[in-house]
Amino acid sequence: MANWTKIDQTVKRWIQEAGANIRASFTDSLTIQAKSNPNDLVTNVDKETERFFIENIRSQFPDHQILGEEGQGDNVQSLQGVIWIIDPIDGTMNFVHQQRNFAISIGIYEDGIGQLGYIYDIVHDELYHAMKGQGAWMNDTPLKKLEKVPVETAVLGISATWLINNRHFDQNKLVQLAKDVRGTRSYGSAALELAYVASGRLSGYITMRNAPWDFAGGKMIVEEAGGIVSTINGGEIDMLSVNPVFAAAPGLHEALLKKYLL
Ligand code: IPD
Ligand code: CA
Ligand code: CA
């Protein structure tokens, strides 16, 4: 049986160390490469940070598996056992262009069930974290349980990408939704947007394409804060593939599904 309290203390130590290294890199020049397309970026700092976690996990928890965005972990094919799902820098474009609005994101799952979740906003020194059944926190402050939010006062995280013609979803439905809510925001880091849903800074977040490392930490934290995370149709998220992701406060989740998404 895994000792989650001990693992939690260890992860928090590693996250602080990785965060300090990333902060120290701000004055260095970056090596930037494009991956699947010219706007899908990776830097030497993304790769070094992923390697830092992988080396530590392998030495302390050799029987755990690692699914990392930059591909230096394991070729994970099943959710059995303990799996660390890691995005060393979520919001790499922001990291490169702005040096803010990016985060380290880690979700630790056992047999497909989230046990621990972390999103570390390095620049603001805000660590959002959750432990299954124990609740969610921002640093040492417990996050308040999310309350129902009506559509007309909701602030929704959504990228402009999904409000123009796209091959994933009828944008007219989302344009109507964007008109009906109080406001929309786009931060360019799925992990931070999920952390904002968990902490009530956003009432909801909608995207058509997130990979497991984008949402693994955030899903746990939102759920422990009392929010709901599903696919765009209200279905279960598959932790090993790309999914549309819809996270929201209670009440709002049902209302948006019914009126705009189904
Ligand atoms: C990206 C960010 C972005 C989301 C993309 C992700 P990355 O992650 O989370 O907000 O819209 O789908 O790929 O590449 O910066 O780690
Ligand atoms: Ca990401
Ligand atoms: Ca990333």
Side-chain angles (χ1 to χ4, degrees):
M1 266 273 285
N3 181 339
W4 296 114
T5 305
K6 196 162 164 244
I7 295 175
D8 177 56
Q9 290 162 353
T10 308
V11 188
K12 284 178 179 154
R13 246 194 0 259
W14 292 343
I15 287 176
Q16 291 302 335
E17 194 178 335
N21 292 339
I22 292 174
R23 235 177 269 122
S25 79
F26 280 173
T27 47
D28 300 343
S29 59
L30 292 172
T31 307
I32 305 166
Q33 291 170 304
K35 297 191 286 183
S36 60
N37 66 64
N39 304 322
D40 180 13
L41 307 178
V42 61
T43 74
N44 57 307
V45 181
D46 298 61
K47 291 182 187 169
E48 284 156 21
T49 305
E50 185 180 81
R51 211 173 307 126
F52 167 84
F53 283 108
I54 290 173
E55 281 169 5
N56 279 300
I57 297 161
R58 286 200 172 134
S59 88
Q60 296 264 331
F61 307 107
D63 54 335
H64 293 183
Q65 291 200 82
I66 306 158
L67 176 60
E69 172 165 23
E70 307 313 337
Q72 301 168 111
D74 302 304
N75 180 13
V76 178
Q77 297 292 339
S78 117
L79 288 171
Q80 273 201 325
V82 178
I83 303 176
W84 296 58
I85 306 179
I86 300 179
D87 196 334
I89 296 184
D90 182 65
T92 299
M93 196 190 292
N94 291 341
F95 172 64
V96 168
H97 285 263
Q98 309 179 331
Q99 294 193 336
R100 68 198 65 218
N101 296 321
F102 64 89
I104 295 172
S105 173
I106 299 177
I108 309 180
Y109 286 68
E110 186 180 39
D111 299 332
I113 312 244
Q115 297 293 341
L116 296 168
Y118 305 86
I119 294 171
Y120 185 38
D121 177 343
I122 292 154
V123 172
H124 293 105
D125 193 22
E126 290 180 342
L127 176 63
Y128 301 83
H129 55 107
M131 186 183 281
K132 185 169 172 43
Q134 304 296 312
W137 293 260
M138 198 272 274
N139 294 334
D140 293 331
T141 310
L143 296 181
K144 285 199 202 108
K145 280 280 171 201
L146 293 172
E147 291 179 3
K148 287 192 173 185
V149 177
V151 175
E152 52 292 357
T153 60
V155 179
L156 186 70
I158 187 165
S159 158
T161 316
W162 312 121
L163 299 173
I164 55 175
N165 189 21
N166 68 84
R167 60 194 168 86
H168 298 283
F169 201 80
D170 174 5
Q171 82 272 15
N172 294 312
K173 290 186 184 178
L174 295 176
V175 168
Q176 190 56 51
L177 167 56
K179 282 182 184 162
D180 291 351
V181 292
R182 176 169 275 171
T184 59
R185 299 288 183 272
S186 178
Y187 297 95
S189 159
L192 275 186
E193 288 171 292
L194 289 169
Y196 290 173
V197 173
S199 54
R201 291 178 182 176
L202 285 174
S203 326
Y205 169 63
I206 292 182
T207 182
M208 296 306 145
R209 277 185 67 78
N210 263 357
W213 38 82
D214 299 320
F215 57 72
K219 180 173 184 291
M220 259 241 55
I221 300 170
V222 171
E223 288 174 348
E224 281 297 324
I228 300 152
V229 184
S230 70
T231 66
I232 202 74
N233 304 319
E236 279 272 313
I237 301 256
D238 176 355
M239 293 309 302
L240 290 181
S241 12
V242 168
N243 290 251
V245 173
F246 169 37
L252 186 66
H253 192 273
E254 295 90 284
L256 296 192
L257 269 180
K258 220 158 141 192
K259 191 160 176 206
Y260 306 90
L261 304 176
L262 285 179

